[in-house]
Every structure is written in C-alpha cells, then in structure tokens.
DNA sequence: GTGTTGACCACAG
DNA sequence: GCTGTGGCCAACA
C-alpha cells in the first residue's frame, strides 16, 4: 500500500472517538515515528478529507488547541460542541487526552 | 537531488 | 511563568 505518511495520519485522526482529543506527537508515536509531530500537522493542514477527518480533535502536546485552517476560534467551538470543556484556551489532556494503541 | 516551509516538541536560560 | 534556540519529519517548488 503506497500510503503516504499523511494518509496514515488521516486514518488515525478518523479513529479518534467523539468527545476526546489527541496531540500531534501522539499520532507521530502511533506511526512509530517519534518527532514527526510537524509532519503530522502538515498532513492535517492539507487535510484533503476535511469533513471526514476530525482534525479539530487534534491539539498540541502542551494542551493548546493549536491551529486550524478557518481559524483556531472555529476549532475551539467545535470541541466545545463535542462536549469538551476548554479552559483558558487549553484542553485537559488528562481528561480528554486520547491515546492510540501502540504495538510494541 | 536540493532547499524551503510548516496546524510541532523539547530543552535551556 | 515566558522567550529563545535546536531538532525532528514529510510534502512541495
């Protein structure tokens, strides 16, 4: 399968359950590529599967919402609709942080 | 094939 | 607590 790194990112992002969020770094680790958080963000930025990939459920490792094409404001609003409580523009990864199953 | 860019992360000061 | 610097990776010109 000649799936590119981005394609894998979209698949993982699609697997994120509603009401939960994950970080770019977490996706990178799920792909066994630690440190590729930047590449993950790049893939979501293109986001050819915009309505199919809940890119708004992907936030930064420090708990910030990160960025969003239409605007970070939009991202926060959607997350709030999902049932996620945002405090000071940040999200509690401790509560809503979703972790991918990483095979050793 | 090389260089630049980007919705990032971690560490040091 | 914030700012600055370095490093990682993939996609695009």
């Amino acid at each position: 399968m000649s799936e590119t790194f981005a394609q894998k990112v979209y698949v993982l992002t699609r697997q994120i359950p509603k009401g939960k969020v994950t970080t770019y770094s977490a996706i990178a680790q799920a792909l066994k590529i630690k440190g590729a958080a930047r590449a993950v963000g790049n893939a979501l930025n293109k986001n050819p599967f915009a309505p199919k990939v809940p890119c708004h459920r992907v936030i930064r490792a420090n708990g910030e919402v990160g960025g969003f094409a239409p605007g970070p404001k939009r991202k926060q609003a959607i997350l709030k609709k999902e049932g996620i409580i945002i405090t000071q523009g940040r999200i509690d990864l401790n509560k809503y942080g979703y972790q991918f199953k990483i095979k050793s």
Side-chain angles (χ1 to χ4, degrees):
Chain A
M1 314 271 282
S2 325
E3 291 174 318
T4 57
F5 176 82
Q7 287 287 334
K8 293 181 186 176
V9 173
Y10 307 135
V11 174
L12 287 172
T13 306
R14 225 189 322 177
Q15 289 175 35
I16 300 173
K18 182 178 135 215
K20 294 232 170 169
V21 290
T22 190
T23 65
Y24 299 98
S25 185
I27 296 174
Q29 282 182 55
L31 295 173
K32 316 280 180 353
I33 309 173
K34 204 175 165 165
R38 229 170 171 167
V40 173
N42 232 350
L44 290 172
N45 178 288
K46 295 172 178 186
N47 198 13
F49 295 87
K52 295 190 187 229
V53 177
C55 39
H56 56 260
R57 283 185 195 153
V58 185
I59 61 173
R60 287 178 64 155
N62 63 336
E64 284 184 17
V65 297
F68 202 54
K73 225 174 140 193
R74 194 72 172 192
K75 190 167 182 173
Q76 290 178 192
I78 297 169
L79 290 168
K80 203 172 174 186
K81 267 185 196 204
E82 296 284 316
I84 296 171
I85 309 294
I86 302 177
T87 57
Q88 302 267 327
R90 288 201 194 152
I91 301 173
D92 294 355
L93 278 168
N94 192 39
K95 289 192 164 197
Y96 303 102
Y98 175 76
Q99 221 171 126
F100 290 101
K101 289 184 177 179
I102 305 175
K103 280 187 191 167
S104 107

